């Protein structure tokens, strides 16, 4: 649409929005669709459409609701796509992008995890010089790969700091300390800051406020620890490109979907300079780099966990009592998903504690307890995601265990919303 508008075409509102799966018909032979079928399943998400192509362009493909699904000025190598080739819901999207890069732009596939590691280590050394670095270690693959890259670059001048913010999953703090002490063999500082984070979240119900306050508290804790490490001037974080996009951190025209505590939620007066070697990568690429670095499987394939932790899986105010309820419910979800052999097949699976209470009957008694939502999604990069079609038997076991083992809960629902329109997290 932007290409059409800027180069003399015409864009107008569609009579019907195209949102979700669609089928396009390829009308002309171009390098973009070389070797691909004439009809393709794609993912659309738009309310406007091209009404007239710019001078020099021709219509390359159409769909039922978009007479111009693809347009091109082949001579100049300009291509405009109305659909999203970059998402998993366009099955041949990677082939389309590959054709564009190789057949249109003349690029060669020289990127490898090894090349990236070499370039990232060099870039970190240039940025840090002889300074000392502290790494925000969460236990997930992103921060682990970040720590490994920085350690390869600066060695013992890296200190990893794991902050227990009181918003972690059941047993996670202990697991992180044990895992990284055993496998990573780096300088590790364990900071217990539960009370500090919970105080910052007292009476807060707005999800954006939660994210910002957690981000501010997170940085303050790190600055306090940094002052104990002579010469520490840099903070390494496992920020990925989806975090940047959703926080509108790359490009003035991007809309803020939600603030990520390690992107838009950082305080403006932060004293530490950021080191973010993974900033323009996606999760699948990070895992490939982690494999090349020799990280253990238990780290590489751990389900992604949001920086603000369980705070954004509790709708409404965060309290110690609600955290205890959610931890137990979430532990049951993960245990059952693993037992059923679904863990590696899912991008994420977790529980959400809603702020809705419902009437129930248990035994001879009336109950008035919380409703818990179970969320399980499949995805390649988290830019889009689809709700997982878990077997009814598995969902039944999860629900049965939660209502029987978590006294405060009497109802379990399953979230069947894809991304878009929803995000993976509820807040």
């Amino acid at each position: 649409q932007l290409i059409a508008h800027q180069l003399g075409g015409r864009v107008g509102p569609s009579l019907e929005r195209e949102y979700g799966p669609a089928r396009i018909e390829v009308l002309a032979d171009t390098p973009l669709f070389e070797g691909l079928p004439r009809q393709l399943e794609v993912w659309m998400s738009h309310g406007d459409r091209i009404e007239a192509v710019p001078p020099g362009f021709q219509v390359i493909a159409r769909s039922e609701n978009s007479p111009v699904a693809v347009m091109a000025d082949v001579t100049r190598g300009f291509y405009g796509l109305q659909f999203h080739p970059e998402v998993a819901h366009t099955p041949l999207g990677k082939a389309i992008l590959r054709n564009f890069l190789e057949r249109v732009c003349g690029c060669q596939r020289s990127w490898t995890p090894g090349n990236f590691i070499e370039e990232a280590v060099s870039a970190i050394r240039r940025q840090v010089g002889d300074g000392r670095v502290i790494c925000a270690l969460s236990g997930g693959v992103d921060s682990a790969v970040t720590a490994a890259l920085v350690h390869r670059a600066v060695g013992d001048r890296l200190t990893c700091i794991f902050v227990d913010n009181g918003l972690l999953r059941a047993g996670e703090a202990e697991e992180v300390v044990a895992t990284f002490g055993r496998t990573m063999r780096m300088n590790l500082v364990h900071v217990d800051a539960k009370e500090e984070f919970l105080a910052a979240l007292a009476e807060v119900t707005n999800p954006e406020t939660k994210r910002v306050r957690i981000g501010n508290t997170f940085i303050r804790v790190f600055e306090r620890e940094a002052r104990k490490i002579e010469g520490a001037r840099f903070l390494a974080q496992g920020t990925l490109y989806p975090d940047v996009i959703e926080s509108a951190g790359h490009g003035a025209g991007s809309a803020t979907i939600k603030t990520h505590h390690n992107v838009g939620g950082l305080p403006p007066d932060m004293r530490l300079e950021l080191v973010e070697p993974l900033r323009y990568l996606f999760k699948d690429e990070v895992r490939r780099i982690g494999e090349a670095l020799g990280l253990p499987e238990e780290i590489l394939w751990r389900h992604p966990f949001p920086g603000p932790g369980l705070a954004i899986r509790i709708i409404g105010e965060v309290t110690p009592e609600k955290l205890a309820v959610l931890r137990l419910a979430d532990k049951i979800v993960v245990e059952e998903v693993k037992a059923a052999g679904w863990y590696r097949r899912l991008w994420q699976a977790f529980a959400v504690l809603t702020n809705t209470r419902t009437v129930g009957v248990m035994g001879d008694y009336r109950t008035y307890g919380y409703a818990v939502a179970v969320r399980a999604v499949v995805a390649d990069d988290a830019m889009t995601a689809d709700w997982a079609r878990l077997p009814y038997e598995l969902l039944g076991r999860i629900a049965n265990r939660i209502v029987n083992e978590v006294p405060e809960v009497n109802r379990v629902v399953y979230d069947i919303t894809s991304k878009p329109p929803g995000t993976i997290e509820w807040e």
Side-chain angles (χ1 to χ4, degrees), residues 186 295 371 409:
M186 299 178 189
L295 295 181
V409 177

Side-chain angles (χ1 to χ4, degrees), residues 376-425:
V377 298
V378 292
D380 286 334
D381 55 22
M383 293 305 298
T384 61
D386 198 10
W387 62 277
R389 275 64 172 176
L390 297 182
Y392 290 154
E393 294 79 7
L394 173 56
L395 292 173
R397 287 195 299 272
I398 290 172
N400 186 62
R401 282 193 61 189
I402 289 176
V403 297
N404 279 283
E405 298 178 30
V406 188
E408 297 85 354
V409 177
N410 68 358
R411 190 176 301 268
V412 177
V413 298
Y414 187 52
D415 184 350
I416 59 169
T417 310
S418 295
K419 175 187 180 181
T423 54
I424 295 176
E425 300 292 342

Side-chain angles (χ1 to χ4, degrees), residues 106-117:
C107 297
Q108 295 181 346
R109 282 188 278 173
S110 58
W111 189 95
T112 66
N115 289 342
F116 176 85
I117 291 170

Side-chain angles (χ1 to χ4, degrees), residues 22 77 150 162 178 199 202 226 305 317 353 407:
V150 175
F162 170 61
F305 189 58
E317 183 182 3
L353 182 62

Side-chain angles (χ1 to χ4, degrees), residues 18-26 33 36-46 61-64 66 69-70 81-93 96:
E18 267 192 314
Y19 178 73
R23 176 175 292 181
I24 65 168
E25 179 186 2
V26 178
F33 293 108
L36 301 179
R38 305 296 286 190
Q39 292 195 340
L40 299 168
E41 300 296 325
V42 301
W43 184 265
M44 295 278 195
S45 181
H46 66 97
R62 67 185 176 194
S63 71
E64 184 176 352
S66 291
V70 180
L81 279 61
Q82 185 66 79
F83 62 91
H84 290 267
E86 77 280 8
V87 303
H89 301 306
T90 298
L92 293 176
I96 295 170

Side-chain angles (χ1 to χ4, degrees), residues 215-216 219-220 265-270:
N216 288 345
I219 291 300
R220 299 305 179 213
L266 298 177
D269 60 341
M270 187 184 71

Side-chain angles (χ1 to χ4, degrees), residues 116 119-129 131-137 142-143 145-151 153-154 157-158 218-219 232-240 262 266 270-280:
F116 176 85
E119 293 173 3
V121 167
S122 297
I124 293 167
R125 287 173 177 163
R126 288 194 302 271
Q127 180 183 0
V128 172
R132 299 189 68 86
V133 185
I134 54 178
C135 180
L137 191 62
D142 306 334
S143 62
V145 172
T146 298
L149 284 171
V150 175
H151 187 257
V154 304
R157 287 184 286 125
L158 167 69
F218 172 80
I219 291 300
R233 296 186 294 109
F234 300 91
L235 170 61
Q237 290 195 142
T239 305
L240 304 190
N262 56 346
L266 298 177
M270 187 184 71
R271 298 179 183 178
L272 298 169
E273 183 179 337
L274 289 177
V275 177
E276 298 175 311
L278 311 179
R279 187 177 177 85
Y280 297 112

